[in-house]
Amino acid sequence: IIDGKRVLIKSGTIHYFRVFGRDEWYDRLSKMKAGGYNCVDFYLCWSFHNPKKDFWDFETYKDIKSLFQVAKELGLYMIVRPGPYINAEISAGGLPYWLMKEKDVVLRNRIDGDFVYSKEYMQHLKDWYGKVLPIVREFDNLILIQIENEYSTNGGENEYIKELYDIVRSYGINVPIFHNDAYIAGMYADDVDIYACDIYPYINPKTNWREETYAFDTLDNLEDMARTFKENAPLFIMELQSGWYDKWLGYGYDYIREDMGASHINIMTKTALSQGVTIFNHYMCAGGTNILDMSSDEVYTSYDFAAPISELGIIKENFKKAKEINYFLDSFDLSVTESKEADFEVAQNCYAKVRKDLVNNCDWLFLRNFNSCETMLCGVTLESFDMKILPRNLEFSACTILNSGTEIFTVLKNDNIQSVFLFADEKNSITIKTQDGSVQTYSTDREDFEELVFECENALTRFIFITRECAANCWKIDNKLVFGV
């Protein structure tokens, strides 16, 4: 809840320590903003700013205050993750090299997985927090802050996490604090304000995720699992996979992009929404470049990550698919929904969820086909490895969509005129009820910008069809759509 209003958070990660300087930051963040993201996630890398003991560098391309100002100028919320450990395929997870030489320091208060509290380590950590948290505190677009990352001990001790929580609060930072759980095990859920987790179904390019029936099994059951950890907090996926990193002697980023395709980010994001997730963060949203000895020994110079925005700042196909979803969420944010029982049979290797939307007073059907051929589900034809979010009993000013086999791209409102942009779909149809009670089913096999128009008293609802190719080159700016760019 931000300023008294529920907001669905659509976030993406960029590593400022792999994308260098204000101009580059502005380029990547402005593209995220244009793509419908309303939030950006920043890891803060300790070793990047503190390469030598008692030496700190926050100048030029290490100037995080300038970075945060860019996000604020663009109207993006911020999630900040100061570690101390961040992973991120950074050498030592971002812990300074000199720290490892300190004999009395027990890194992360842990030896072979056992909890061993280290005052010396905590003092150095407090020095780090003391440098960055006062900067973080200055920005009112901060909405979430993370302590540690993917942390656990053999005994599950929570003393360390509790102390980090108290340190953050001591700096006057009052936004919710979370920890990111790598195991979906509810680690430290009771010690933070919001429970968050990672989900990465694709971690081995040697295997084809499309051939693994249970690739999304964890994500498919996230709502039931996470609610047992933190019943009343928003469902939050801190790292929702939108790419993957390549390793030495790996397959290359071109292969990973082709292997994952736009279908992977489509299924990941829509499945998360079907589980009632209201905070998601695409990791990564923008790729980057490793410099000096920054990267862990698994990865090489490029950290393109097959991300929606490439290492060189180029918009890719998975960005266009993410933009589709984000624009839909601009019009129907799905911030307050409840799970409902599906009232139809689910075909083999398919997935279906129904959610009641308490804001828009309708139902949303989440339908996924994990077969290698097109499949009929709830009267809707789905292409192979596709997923759709479809409205049922969705009211507009001059009519109601009773059922639809095609998705809504976005909605523009201008006084008493609603312009509803639908995807042209040659294999499906849409059923509409007018204000006088008549019901008609229309084919959605349409050309770009064909219209169905319904008028009632002083209200007008226009359904405008566009192809996905047309949508890919469309941008939403100030309640207008600009096509062909």
Side-chain angles (χ1 to χ4, degrees):
I1 297 175
I2 301 175
D3 294 332
K5 181 182 177 181
R6 292 188 182 274
V7 180
L8 190 141
I9 301 302
K10 304 166 292 178
S11 179
T13 298
I14 178 175
H15 291 163
Y16 68 95
F17 42 86
R18 288 176 164 130
V19 178
F20 309 105
R22 185 181 176 92
D23 289 346
E24 295 296 297
W25 298 336
Y26 189 90
D27 174 81
R28 305 304 191 270
L29 294 184
S30 62
K31 287 170 180 170
M32 288 177 60
K33 177 74 172 182
Y37 291 95
N38 60 6
C39 184
V40 58
D41 160 49
F42 296 127
Y43 269 138
L44 304 184
C45 184
W46 186 357
S47 61
F48 192 58
H49 299 281
N50 188 203
K52 298 178 182 179
K53 189 174 181 180
D54 299 324
F55 174 79
W56 298 91
D57 186 357
F58 290 93
E59 301 297 323
T60 61
Y61 61 88
K62 299 185 180 185
D63 181 2
I64 60 172
K65 186 171 183 177
S66 180
L67 171 73
F68 297 162
Q69 285 171 339
V70 172
K72 184 173 175 62
E73 288 169 13
L74 289 169
L76 291 167
Y77 298 123
M78 297 193 309
I79 300 172
V80 175
R81 300 199 277 166
Y85 176 85
I86 63 173
N87 192 347
E89 289 70 59
I90 292 289
S91 184
L95 298 174
Y97 308 138
W98 59 262
L99 191 62
M100 303 176 194
K101 300 177 182 179
E102 299 284 307
K103 294 181 180 179
D104 295 329
V105 166
V106 177
L107 297 175
R108 304 178 80 195
N109 295 315
R110 200 173 62 174
I111 298 177
D112 296 329
D114 291 329
F115 181 71
V116 179
Y117 187 78
S118 170
K119 291 183 180 180
E120 292 78 9
Y121 167 72
M122 291 304 297
Q123 185 54 58
H124 290 302
L125 184 156
K126 289 174 184 176
D127 291 343
W128 161 239
Y129 271 20
K131 293 293 183 182
V132 294
L133 293 185
I135 300 173
V136 172
R137 184 183 58 204
E138 293 181 30
F139 289 85
D140 60 5
N141 56 327
L142 175 74
I143 59 169
L144 291 161
I145 190 165
Q146 178 178 310
I147 47 177
E148 254 291 347
N149 186 53
E150 301 170 342
Y151 183 78
S152 66
T153 60
N154 294 331
E157 292 86 355
N158 62 359
E159 180 180 346
Y160 176 37
I161 297 297
K162 282 187 170 184
E163 186 168 353
L164 292 180
Y165 186 102
D166 291 340
I167 295 170
V168 171
R169 286 284 180 251
S170 73
Y171 279 92
I173 294 174
N174 58 10
V175 301
I177 297 172
F178 69 96
H179 173 71
N180 187 38
D181 185 4
Y183 306 108
I184 328 294
M187 297 299 295
Y188 311 108
D190 292 337
D191 303 308
V192 292
D193 302 310
I194 299 178
Y195 173 77
C197 62
D198 288 355
I199 298 199
Y200 289 97
Y202 177 99
I203 59 174
N204 186 359
K206 292 181 181 179
T207 62
N208 187 338
W209 62 272
R210 293 173 178 83
E211 296 175 356
E212 297 194 19
T213 306
Y214 300 103
F216 298 95
D217 192 50
T218 299
L219 185 55
D220 290 350
N221 295 281
L222 180 66
E223 185 172 17
D224 288 341
M225 289 189 295
R227 283 288 176 234
T228 65
F229 307 144
K230 203 82 173 173
E231 183 177 1
N232 296 317
L235 291 181
F236 182 9
I237 302 178
M238 184 59 243
E239 295 182 20
L240 182 66
Q241 183 173 28
S242 58
W244 193 241
Y245 63 89
D246 195 31
K247 301 182 180 182
W248 291 101
L249 303 179
Y251 286 73
Y253 283 116
D254 288 342
Y255 173 88
I256 294 174
R257 282 190 182 280
E258 182 178 354
D259 192 27
M260 298 183 77
S263 62
H264 188 274
I265 195 170
N266 183 54
I267 289 174
M268 286 291 296
T269 311
K270 290 177 181 174
T271 304
L273 294 167
S274 80
Q275 288 290 308
V277 168
T278 55
I279 311 172
F280 69 80
N281 178 67
H282 282 148
Y283 188 100
M284 298 283 292
C285 188
T289 305
N290 294 305
I291 61 171
L292 304 174
D293 53 358
M294 173 187 292
S295 67
S296 71
D297 57 11
E298 277 194 303
V299 298
Y300 49 86
T301 304
S302 176
Y303 194 76
D304 179 88
F305 211 83
I309 303 171
S310 77
E311 175 184 12
L312 300 179
I314 299 170
I315 288 172
K316 296 294 185 176
E317 290 303 309
N318 47 351
F319 179 90
K320 296 173 182 178
K321 180 59 69 173
K323 182 183 69 172
E324 276 186 19
I325 300 170
N326 289 339
Y327 283 10
F328 163 76
L329 292 170
D330 280 344
S331 301
F332 310 98
D333 67 6
L334 308 189
S335 61
V336 189
T337 65
E338 295 176 351
S339 179
K340 291 181 60 175
E341 289 292 329
D343 54 1
F344 51 88
E345 292 187 4
V346 180
Q348 186 176 7
N349 294 330
C350 290
Y351 167 94
K353 288 281 287 187
V354 181
R355 299 200 74 84
K356 180 175 178 58
D357 186 333
L358 302 180
V359 174
N360 299 294
N361 195 30
C362 67
D363 289 344
W364 296 101
L365 278 61
F366 297 82
L367 307 180
R368 185 178 81 209
N369 177 20
F370 215 62
N371 291 299
S372 57
C373 59
E374 72 176 37
T375 301
M376 183 76 74
L377 183 57
C378 190
V380 176
T381 299
L382 291 168
E383 299 292 339
S384 61
F385 306 106
D386 191 17
M387 187 165 184
K388 292 183 176 182
I389 306 175
L390 302 172
R392 187 160 64 179
N393 299 321
L394 175 60
E395 293 185 9
F396 291 99
S397 56
C399 61
T400 299
I401 295 178
L402 298 181
N403 289 288
S404 178
T406 191
E407 293 183 288
I408 298 173
F409 177 50
T410 199
V411 178
L412 302 182
K413 298 178 182 179
N414 184 10
D415 295 328
N416 62 340
I417 300 174
Q418 294 173 314
S419 299
V420 184
F421 289 82
L422 300 171
F423 286 112
D425 189 332
E426 64 180 8
K427 297 181 179 179
N428 285 295
S429 62
I430 185 169
T431 301
I432 296 174
K433 179 181 177 180
T434 59
Q435 292 286 19
D436 63 7
S438 63
V439 176
Q440 180 73 43
T441 298
Y442 303 87
S443 170
T444 56
D445 183 7
R446 306 276 176 159
E447 299 294 329
D448 280 323
F449 305 115
E450 280 193 52
E451 293 188 14
L452 295 172
V453 180
F454 300 88
E455 192 167 1
C456 176
E457 296 179 355
N458 295 322
L460 187 144
T461 301
R462 304 163 62 213
F463 294 98
I464 304 169
F465 292 88
I466 58 172
T467 59
R468 293 192 184 272
E469 292 76 16
C470 182
N473 297 307
C474 167
W475 301 93
K476 190 172 185 178
I477 304 171
D478 296 332
N479 198 42
K480 294 186 176 75
L481 292 183
V482 179
F483 290 92
V485 180

